[in-house]
């Protein structure tokens, strides 16, 4: 892989996700996909192509789950009335329900890669960059760009981030269920902030998982180094089984360490129509060689772990936790010092974890392990 992929923000990947299906051909007629023997269902939603983003295909994510939308096997809102109105189209994500048998339903998250307004602004910028505001075919414009041609030839880059880093292989991302137009459907999570007042053993378990994820982001078999430019209360989420995942990857960047760090004069690509799609044209990403190994630990220990762990444990244990947190969040310390403090904190949190049904992701297996 060339140096252009050595340092890549996931916002740039999101642009790729949106447009890399341009060569996939026309969208099949939705009516043609319904077998004649299946009675037609009258939609309560009155779906339009514009709401789903189907009017922008092939410059969209995909069409794999459109059938479920039109059969009302995916419903917006967190309740199951058959007579719902569509939610506002300016939101980036929605709560929803998903079924395979029309009887049992499960929570899902329905989201756009970015807001509808940002999508529209990006579309306009694409056309304006080459056609000075005249109507154009976004698909054809993108196909002709040099950067897009490089993306299409990349051996290690595929159309969907969650397929590059699937949860089944241990990557901490929600399960991808499918897409329709510019909407993506994935498994639902609760934000980490909902657990700030949780019991000590739950807080310890989540904090341990958080540090474990941060460690795996910098050490994995594919030689990718993931880093957060910043985090907030919604960055991480928890599934119903207690497993913690990265809920919002909008501030997550990735460095391909197999290629090594590019030299300073190789950091930035020439400006093209992709340069200003999701940010101000004058802004730039931090150079790869400015990203340190300790960066993720520092932001997590400073911004999230205190909210989970403060005042939860007996004084002797709390003092140890607080001391290690203070070391872990100090950006002035060396990488080794920060990582060592995080490792010791992780050991303490592991010793505080319990084995019961609240932690379904590791129960009952934990009953037969010496670690609990």
């Amino acid at each position: 892989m060339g140096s252009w992929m050595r340092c890549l923000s996931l916002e740039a990947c999101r642009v790729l996700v949106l447009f890399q299906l341009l060569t996939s051909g026309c969208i099949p007629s939705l009516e043609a996909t319904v077998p004649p023997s299946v009675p037609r269902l009258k939609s309560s939603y009155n779906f339009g192509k514009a709401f789903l983003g189907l009017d922008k295909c092939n410059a969209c994510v995909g069409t794999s789950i459109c059938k479920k939308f039109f059969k009302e096997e995916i419903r917006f809102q967190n309740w199951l009335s058959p007579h719902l109105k569509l939610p506002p189209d300016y939101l980036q994500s929605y709560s929803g329900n998903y079924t395979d048998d029309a009887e049992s339903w499960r929570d899902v998250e329905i989201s756009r890669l970015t807001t509808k307004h940002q999508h529209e602004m990006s579309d306009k910028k694409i056309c304006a960059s080459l056609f000075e505001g005249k109507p154009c075919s976004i698909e054809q414009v993108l196909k002709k760009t040099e950067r897009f041609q490089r993306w299409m030839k990349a051996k290690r880059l595929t159309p969907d981030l969650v397929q590059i880093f699937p949860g089944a292989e241990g990557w901490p991302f929600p399960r991808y269920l499918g897409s329709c137009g510019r909407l993506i459907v994935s498994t639902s999570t609760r934000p980490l902030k909902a657990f700030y007042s949780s019991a000590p053993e739950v807080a310890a378990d989540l904090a341990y998982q958080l540090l474990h994820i941060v460690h795996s982001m910098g050490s994995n078999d594919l030689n990718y180094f993931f880093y957060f430019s910043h985090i907030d209360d919604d960055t991480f989420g928890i599934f119903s089984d207690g497993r913690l995942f990265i809920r919002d990857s909008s501030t997550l960047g990735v460095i391909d360490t197999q290629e090594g760090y590019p030299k300073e004069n190789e950091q930035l690509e020439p400006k093209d129509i992709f340069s200003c799609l999701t940010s101000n044209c004058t802004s730039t990403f931090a150079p790869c060689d400015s990203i340190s190994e300790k960066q993720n630990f520092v932001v997590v220990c400073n911004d999230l772990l205190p909210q989970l762990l403060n005042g939860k444990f007996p004084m002797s244990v709390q003092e140890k936790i607080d001391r290690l947190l203070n070391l872990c969040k100090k950006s002035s310390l060396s990488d080794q010092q920060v990582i060592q403090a995080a490792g010791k904190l992780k050991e303490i949190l592991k010793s505080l974890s319990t084995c019961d049904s609240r932690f379904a992701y590791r129960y009952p297996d934990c009953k037969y392990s010496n670690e609990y």
Side-chain angles (χ1 to χ4, degrees), residues 96-243:
N97 303 97
Y98 176 102
T99 185
D100 288 316
D101 55 16
E103 294 183 2
S104 58
W105 295 80
R106 51 181 165 137
D107 294 336
V108 293
E109 183 169 321
I110 304 167
S111 60
R112 295 182 173 91
L113 297 175
T114 185
T115 65
K116 192 170 187 293
H117 174 71
Q118 289 174 321
H119 274 311
E120 292 171 350
M121 292 299 294
S122 297
D123 295 342
K124 291 178 181 178
K125 287 181 180 180
I126 291 168
C127 284
S129 66
L130 296 180
F131 291 91
E132 299 182 352
K134 297 178 181 179
C136 74
S137 166
I138 295 175
E139 302 96 303
Q140 294 303 319
V141 171
L142 291 173
K143 282 183 182 179
K144 295 177 182 178
T145 63
E146 181 181 351
R147 190 190 295 212
F148 186 81
Q149 292 301 318
R150 292 202 304 272
W151 280 344
M152 294 299 292
K153 295 175 182 178
K155 294 180 179 179
R156 296 179 67 189
L157 196 61
T158 61
D160 203 314
L161 285 176
V162 292
Q163 293 177 4
I164 305 175
F165 311 115
E169 295 181 8
W171 296 101
F173 297 102
R175 182 187 172 195
Y176 170 79
L177 299 174
S179 58
C180 182
R182 290 182 169 180
L183 291 180
I184 295 173
V185 182
S186 58
T187 47
S188 179
T189 62
R190 292 178 62 193
L192 182 63
K193 62 184 177 183
F195 293 82
Y196 285 164
S197 60
S198 60
E201 55 271 22
V202 174
D205 181 78
L206 292 175
Y208 174 84
Q209 289 190 69
L210 191 51
L211 289 174
H212 181 75
I213 284 178
V214 171
H215 173 76
S216 66
M217 289 168 65
S219 178
N220 53 77
D221 293 339
L222 293 184
N223 296 307
Y224 284 119
F225 180 82
F226 295 88
Y227 65 93
F228 288 103
S229 59
H230 69 273
I231 58 175
D232 57 36
D233 291 338
D234 292 316
T235 301
F236 294 90
I238 293 86
F239 285 146
S240 58
D241 65 357
R243 190 184 301 270

Side-chain angles (χ1 to χ4, degrees), residues 58 140 195 225 273 324 348 365:
N58 290 323
Q140 294 303 319
F195 293 82
F225 180 82
I273 63 173
L324 291 171
I348 292 177
D365 294 351

Side-chain angles (χ1 to χ4, degrees), residues 208 211-212 215 341-351:
Y208 174 84
L211 289 174
H212 181 75
H215 173 76
K344 290 181 179 179
L345 177 57
K346 188 178 173 185
E347 290 176 3
I348 292 177
L349 294 170
K350 181 72 170 179
S351 68

